[in-house]
Amino acid sequence: MEENLRVVYSADKRYKIDIIQELLAEHKIESIVLDQKGSAFLVGEIHLYVNDKDEDKAKKIIADHDL
């Protein structure tokens, strides 16, 4: 993973990540999804990353929307 990427949100359900990713895109923040769920048992988390320069803004947007 690139050093300039930061996790801003993690969830166990993909739809939650999709909602946050769309919300960030509406605010012109690019994001990357890393799905670490094991396919056999569907355990693990999905992480949403943004560039470190957007980290504070992304976290504030997520917090403001109570997500």
Side-chain angles (χ1 to χ4, degrees):
M1 195 103 301
E2 291 187 36
E3 289 182 25
N4 64 333
L5 295 178
R6 303 288 183 256
V7 175
V8 292
Y9 192 76
S10 297
D12 61 345
K13 305 284 188 228
R14 178 60 193 234
Y15 77 89
K16 293 179 181 181
I17 296 293
D18 292 340
I19 291 169
I20 299 298
Q21 193 170 33
E22 181 63 31
L23 180 62
L24 294 179
E26 289 173 8
H27 288 86
K28 309 289 191 255
I29 298 175
E30 291 185 40
S31 59
I32 297 170
V33 176
L34 177 61
D35 188 345
Q36 294 183 316
K37 280 186 162 275
S39 60
F41 299 104
L42 297 177
V43 294
E45 286 200 323
I46 306 166
H47 302 287
L48 189 64
Y49 289 82
V50 299
N51 190 292
D52 60 359
K53 69 179 177 56
D54 295 322
E55 180 181 14
D56 292 337
K57 183 178 177 183
K59 286 182 175 180
K60 181 170 179 3
I61 290 167
I62 293 166
D64 287 350
H65 286 83
D66 197 29
L67 301 169

